[in-house]
Amino acid sequence: MIDLHYWPTPNGHKITMFLEEAGIDYTIIPVDISAGDQFKPDFLAIAPNNRMPAIVDHAPTDGGAAISVFESGAILLYLAEKTGRFVPTDVSGRKSVLEWLFWQVGGLGPMAGQNHHFVQYAPERIPYAMERYVKETNRLYGVLNTRLGKRANVAGEDYSIADMAIYPWIVPHQRQQQDLDTFPNLKRWFEAVAARPATIAAYAKGEPFTKRPTVTEEGKKILFGQTAR
């Protein structure tokens, strides 16, 4: 039913987590971002920002032609609405899920991504940039820790697409120079999500591709040297 254009990065894992939770049939189409697959014309036709993940739904709910969706947050919301799962139907609950979904796509993801870039990949060590993004990641972890002190999951008691969006960006916490022991509420939630059978299955789907490095030296030129084409 669903073609998933995917590579095992945090944004890719978000979508396999949902698909495994919902029990939807899907086919993984690898997009090797270090080899430049994201610039191939067929992929750009469904993901004009040349970023994975993207999906093609061959059985949309309106019964019409296949629908493509790009951007991980939009994909999660599309799938939640398609299945009627992992987003509450009441106004307050839906509002909370969308707040924390957008908190991830607008805050945690970009800031942790810059943390990864300057700490792990930048050819030049820039202490100011490294400190800036490590500290901002730490601040965001603190926001999440406070939030999780009052509820089982990020948006409330029920597991939702907000949790699926956030969890993969916490997985590389050591690379982000963050200690989960200093965030006990976050650690409790993180371990609970990690133990979910669908989370385990989702990450297993990425294992065949993890044998290839996500970012090679040649891949850095592709990923970090982009300009308008």
Side-chain angles (χ1 to χ4, degrees):
M1 183 183 296
I2 301 288
D3 288 341
L4 171 60
H5 297 259
Y6 163 94
W7 201 244
T9 70
N11 287 333
H13 291 310
K14 294 177 191 177
I15 313 307
T16 51
M17 286 175 68
F18 184 101
L19 293 168
E20 292 293 334
E21 288 281 356
I24 298 175
D25 291 334
Y26 67 102
T27 299
I28 288 179
I29 300 172
V31 180
D32 187 341
I33 59 176
S34 198
D37 288 354
Q38 67 272 36
F39 297 109
K40 292 181 177 178
D42 288 350
F43 182 69
L44 288 174
I46 62 171
N49 194 39
N50 55 264
R51 295 287 188 274
M52 70 89 228
I55 66 167
V56 177
D57 181 2
H58 293 282
T61 55
D62 65 359
I67 291 176
S68 62
V69 189
F70 73 100
E71 290 296 324
S72 60
I75 296 169
L76 286 175
L77 185 56
Y78 175 86
L79 291 172
E81 292 178 339
K82 174 184 175 69
T83 60
R85 300 186 65 187
F86 304 113
V87 171
T89 56
D90 65 287
V91 173
S92 178
R94 179 180 173 83
K95 182 273 303 181
S96 293
V97 168
L98 294 183
E99 282 179 330
W100 289 95
L101 174 63
F102 283 104
W103 177 84
Q104 186 280 307
V105 298
L108 179 63
M111 294 301 102
Q114 292 299 321
N115 179 322
H116 295 172
H117 179 80
F118 285 104
V119 174
Q120 303 291 331
Y121 301 126
E124 179 184 353
R125 306 290 285 180
I126 306 174
Y128 174 81
M130 294 167 64
E131 182 180 16
R132 161 80 178 101
Y133 290 111
V134 168
K135 283 185 174 180
E136 178 61 7
T137 304
N138 185 268
R139 184 190 73 80
L140 292 165
Y141 273 48
V143 170
L144 197 53
N145 186 68
T146 298
R147 174 73 179 177
L148 287 163
K150 301 177 181 178
R151 49 195 55 80
N153 290 294
V154 175
E157 292 306 307
D158 294 331
Y159 189 65
S160 74
I161 58 173
D163 301 286
M164 298 177 206
I166 292 167
Y167 172 83
W169 283 99
I170 306 296
V171 170
H173 56 89
Q174 292 179 327
R175 291 175 57 200
Q176 297 165 7
Q177 300 188 24
Q178 306 302 318
D179 180 2
L180 285 191
D181 287 334
T182 64
F183 303 103
N185 302 321
L186 172 53
K187 183 177 181 181
R188 182 267 308 162
W189 167 86
F190 177 80
E191 291 176 346
V193 176
R196 294 178 72 93
T199 303
I200 296 168
Y203 275 77
K205 289 293 178 71
E207 288 178 2
F209 311 108
T210 58
K211 296 185 173 113
R212 297 185 62 180
T214 301
V215 181
T216 63
E217 287 304 313
E218 186 62 29
K220 289 180 183 179
K221 299 175 184 177
I222 296 170
L223 290 170
F224 308 140
Q226 300 167 14
T227 58
R229 296 171 67 85

